[in-house]
Amino acid sequence: MRSVTINRPFQGATMSEFIYLYRTNDAERRAAMSAEARQQSMQAWLEWMRDLEAKGHIKNPGNPLGTEGRVLRGKVKTVTDGPFVEMKDLVLGYSVIEAKDIDQAAELARGCPMLAGEGSVEVRPVAPM
Amino acid sequence: MTGADTPRELDDHLFRRESGRMVAALTRIFGVHNLALAEDVVQDAFVRALEAWRMRGIPDNPAAWLMTAAKNRAIDVLRRERTARTFAPEMGRLLETEWTLSPAVNEAFEVHTIRDEQLRMMFSCCQPSLAEDVQVALILNILCGFSAGEIAAAFLTSRAAVEKRIARGKKTLAASKRLFDLVDTDFVSRLDSVQRALYLLFNEGYHGSSPELAVRSDLCAEAIRLVMLLREYPPSDTPATSALAALMHLHAARLVTRVDAAGELSRLSEQDRARWDRRLIDQGLGLFDRSATGNELTVYHLQAAIAAEHVRAASVADTNWETIVALYDHLQRLAPSPVVELNRAIAIGERDGAAAGLAALESIANRQRLAEYPFYHAAVAELELRLGYGARARDHFAAAIEVSRNSMERRFLERRVRECELLAPSS
């Protein structure tokens, strides 16, 4: 895991943890895109993540989630098989963010390249004990 | 993520380049009739790469990562669809059993296999039944990873027209049972078509219509990459291939001064020769030396020889116009065309003076075929201007503007009109 302790301008201030959930739908995920455009989108992500990291907001860059999976439901433990790629609302992955408050966390998410298309970023606080 | 201090960067155009390589490898496995499936698997690898890398950072070897993603996806597809689809006839029954499935897929992704499959794809795109503009569009789309929109932007044509070309070409490709076989008996004549298509691709970059230097250098770079791929395979590494590679390098070396960053054309005499790319010139001259074997003298040899004269000269005045005229004479005998005659007349103008140049322009056979070519009118105007006929020159530049093909040409010609008007104010 990448170390993120190098640059913490907010050290001393009380920082809270937030989770970014990156969401999209399958159509958007598989939208036809030229190789060059994909590479540019990749570049935009890297710049955004590096910027957050440089400002000390990345607690954990997180992980992408695989698109295969199972859902268990109810007392009878119904198991639904993935993959979830057909879903209208697909969680692609998450990152753990440190910010002063939810407003700042949401403000920081504005730069997320996910928002260039139909994707969304859900910002949720990690609830205190 | 490793502990590297500086974050890894992606090579420029990595996805585009790897796209051509992966499609070639996957077509070997799936067969050319499943080209669309191969392209889907590549798209899938890109989607996965994007999703993984944006959170975990770029891996040590991004190209290998993409290849592995494509391989794994290919194996999934093969397992799922091996009863429903037929794959490449070359794969025989290797894909039917788990004993040989993975090794067969791995083999398709080996460096030398990918190189051969790219060549086979290139030769397949250049089928004589396909028009040359279709061949070039196919090469750019399949081997270079350009989308229809990107090709349309580079060629200043509509996206719909390019999509139509690509669709027509792919239909023909998919209908063929297999990719072109490199030991086929018409290898030699097909090689001619491939060279011609790469030449056209390069020309679109060098002389072409896009006003954007970046777009044009991309096309030149792709043509150079593919011609160098031809050189890696001994049967296609002919003297003509070396000559073609030489002329591409020698011209590409001058591209940065031919079109400046603002997308403005400049004349040879205005170009800062110190900015010509020395590395490309050295490579080009080396390739030109290597092309001088055997007894075949092609149009590529002659054009490379002309380009070599230009890069060896310190200035326009210092250029060996005598030799250049002789080379154009030769070219005119080998492949007669009004454009060759036009260039020859310009060279005569440099060698013997503007009046002789004008006389040569006027004696061009089929001159009317140049009426739609802006640089014919511009060449007349340049020589008239040199003789002091400012008003006539201005009229000819104006005639050139009438037939100019893009805003870059138009701006260049308008600048020349203004310069004429400074010399000979109109009444």
Side-chain angles (χ1 to χ4, degrees):
Chain A
M1 191 60 63
R2 165 174 277 223
S3 155
V4 291
T5 51
I6 26 165
N7 188 357
R8 288 272 178 100
F10 294 98
Q11 217 155 29
T14 325
M15 299 293 276
S16 307
E17 279 184 29
F18 297 87
I19 305 279
Y20 284 174
L21 289 175
Y22 306 112
R23 291 175 181 273
T24 189
N25 57 51
D26 187 48
E28 168 83 2
R29 180 172 176 255
R30 308 210 149 252
M33 208 179 185
S34 75
E36 194 68 7
R38 278 197 208 284
Q39 181 154 353
Q40 278 159 9
S41 143
M42 180 76 232
Q43 209 61 52
W45 263 89
L46 292 176
E47 279 159 26
W48 179 65
M49 288 289 264
R50 280 171 192 165
D51 182 54
L52 286 185
E53 185 171 357
K55 292 176 179 154
H57 291 296
I58 300 278
K59 169 94 175 176
N60 177 340
N63 280 298
L65 300 179
T67 50
E68 310 253 323
R70 302 224 170 123
V71 179
L72 285 81
R73 226 177 235 113
K75 287 202 190 82
V76 288
K77 301 178 178 62
T78 323
V79 179
T80 322
D81 265 347
F84 302 127
V85 288
E86 305 299 327
M87 282 171 54
K88 288 232 166 61
D89 185 26
L90 181 71
V91 179
L92 282 183
Y94 67 91
S95 303
V96 186
I97 300 298
E98 281 187 308
K100 282 198 307 242
D101 51 32
I102 186 94
D103 292 333
Q104 192 194 21
E107 187 58 33
L108 292 168
R110 291 178 78 89
C112 179
M114 199 83 212
L115 303 171
E118 287 171 27
S120 62
V121 185
E122 186 174 322
V123 185
R124 303 281 298 273
V126 174
M129 291 291 281
Chain B
M1 189 64 88
T2 66
D5 290 327
T6 42
R8 244 181 309 279
E9 294 297 335
L10 284 176
D11 288 349
D12 281 350
H13 312 311
L14 172 89
F15 279 25
R16 217 159 66 184
R17 197 172 57 231
E18 293 308 319
S19 158
R21 289 162 47 81
M22 290 191 286
V23 169
L26 291 161
T27 306
R28 172 170 182 80
I29 303 166
F30 295 152
V32 68
H33 57 290
N34 287 317
L35 181 60
L37 178 64
E39 291 175 326
D40 280 352
V41 169
V42 170
Q43 289 302 322
D44 185 84
F46 285 151
V47 169
R48 279 161 203 265
L50 237 62
E51 289 172 1
W53 301 357
R54 54 196 180 193
M55 280 160 236
R56 292 180 178 153
I58 299 169
D60 282 332
N61 185 342
W65 195 106
L66 285 169
M67 290 284 172
T68 305
K71 263 188 226 177
N72 292 339
R73 179 78 185 149
I75 290 172
D76 286 349
V77 168
L78 290 164
R79 282 192 185 130
R80 204 176 55 227
E81 304 202 14
R82 63 184 151 199
T83 49
R85 280 189 199 243
T86 54
F87 294 106
E90 291 95 327
M91 301 305 282
R93 308 190 61 180
L94 294 178
L95 307 175
E96 286 174 22
T97 148
E98 292 296 320
W99 285 111
T100 45
L101 178 64
S102 288
V105 170
N106 276 317
E107 199 220 29
F109 280 88
E110 275 174 22
V111 174
H112 66 274
T113 323
I114 289 186
R115 185 205 63 191
D116 288 358
E117 293 309 303
Q118 283 180 284
L119 284 169
R120 291 181 68 194
M121 184 64 87
M122 207 179 347
F123 279 69
S124 300
C125 290
C126 295
Q127 309 203 7
S129 64
L130 294 173
E132 277 173 344
D133 59 354
V134 176
Q135 297 178 3
V136 173
L138 273 186
I139 289 178
L140 274 172
N141 180 243
I142 302 176
L143 285 143
C144 309
F146 281 59
S147 68
E150 286 161 352
I151 299 172
F155 285 70
L156 292 191
T157 38
S158 75
R159 188 189 171 128
V162 174
E163 276 169 352
K164 221 158 109 186
R165 277 177 216 167
I166 293 175
R168 196 183 315 149
K170 283 188 178 166
K171 211 171 143 195
T172 307
L173 273 186
S176 56
K177 287 203 180 62
R178 55 207 296 165
L179 285 183
F180 185 84
D181 205 327
L182 294 177
V183 294
D184 201 281
T185 43
D186 50 318
F187 179 81
V188 175
S189 72
R190 191 61 73 88
L191 178 58
D192 283 350
S193 310
V194 171
Q195 288 165 342
R196 169 99 193 137
L198 296 185
Y199 175 74
L200 292 175
L201 170 55
F202 181 84
N203 267 356
E204 189 57 38
Y206 189 69
H207 294 288
S209 26
S210 169
E212 278 186 56
L213 179 61
V215 170
R216 298 172 56 147
S217 20
D218 277 0
L219 294 182
C220 291
E222 287 301 316
I224 288 178
R225 181 174 74 80
L226 294 175
V227 82
M228 296 312 268
L229 195 64
L230 282 184
R231 291 198 70 250
E232 280 182 34
Y233 179 66
S236 54
D237 183 18
T238 62
T241 301
S242 295
L244 177 59
L247 101 83
M248 287 182 185
H249 281 81
L250 294 173
H251 277 116
R254 292 149 58 191
L255 185 65
V256 281
T257 57
R258 188 170 189 277
V259 187
D260 66 24
E264 301 296 333
L265 278 176
S266 59
R267 290 180 296 151
L268 185 59
S269 58
E270 300 169 328
Q271 296 177 7
D272 175 4
R273 293 179 183 228
R275 288 180 56 222
W276 288 357
D277 188 324
R278 201 60 238 176
R279 192 182 54 91
L280 285 171
I281 289 176
D282 291 341
Q283 283 173 321
L285 292 174
L287 286 159
F288 184 53
D289 283 345
R290 278 194 288 281
S291 75
T293 53
N295 40 27
E296 193 193 15
L297 184 66
T298 63
V299 291
Y300 309 127
H301 283 93
L302 292 165
Q303 293 183 58
I306 293 166
E309 287 301 332
H310 284 301
V311 300
R312 284 189 187 119
S315 66
V316 170
D318 181 52
T319 306
N320 187 345
W321 293 104
E322 185 71 45
T323 304
I324 290 182
V325 171
L327 288 165
Y328 275 122
D329 282 338
H330 208 133
L331 194 55
Q332 177 63 14
R333 283 196 296 276
L334 205 59
S337 95
V339 175
V340 172
E341 280 195 274
L342 167 63
N343 285 316
R344 177 180 168 276
I346 294 170
I348 287 177
E350 295 295 342
R351 186 188 65 178
D352 303 334
L358 267 183
L361 279 175
E362 274 155 24
S363 67
I364 291 178
N366 297 324
R367 206 160 27 138
Q368 69 284 0
R369 279 179 57 199
L370 292 171
E372 298 291 307
Y373 187 54
F375 291 104
Y376 167 72
H377 304 285
V380 173
E382 295 290 352
L383 292 170
E384 285 171 339
L385 196 57
R386 225 177 286 172
L387 291 168
Y389 308 142
R392 272 199 250 164
R394 190 202 57 217
D395 290 348
H396 275 115
F397 279 125
I401 293 173
E402 289 294 305
V403 290
S404 61
R405 296 161 298 182
N406 59 53
S407 57
M408 179 176 59
E409 288 179 358
R410 196 156 44 245
R411 282 197 307 274
F412 169 76
L413 293 163
E414 282 165 356
R415 172 164 69 92
R416 296 300 286 149
V417 165
R418 284 194 299 276
E419 284 160 1
C420 290
E421 281 166 354
L422 289 177
L423 290 168
S426 52
S427 48

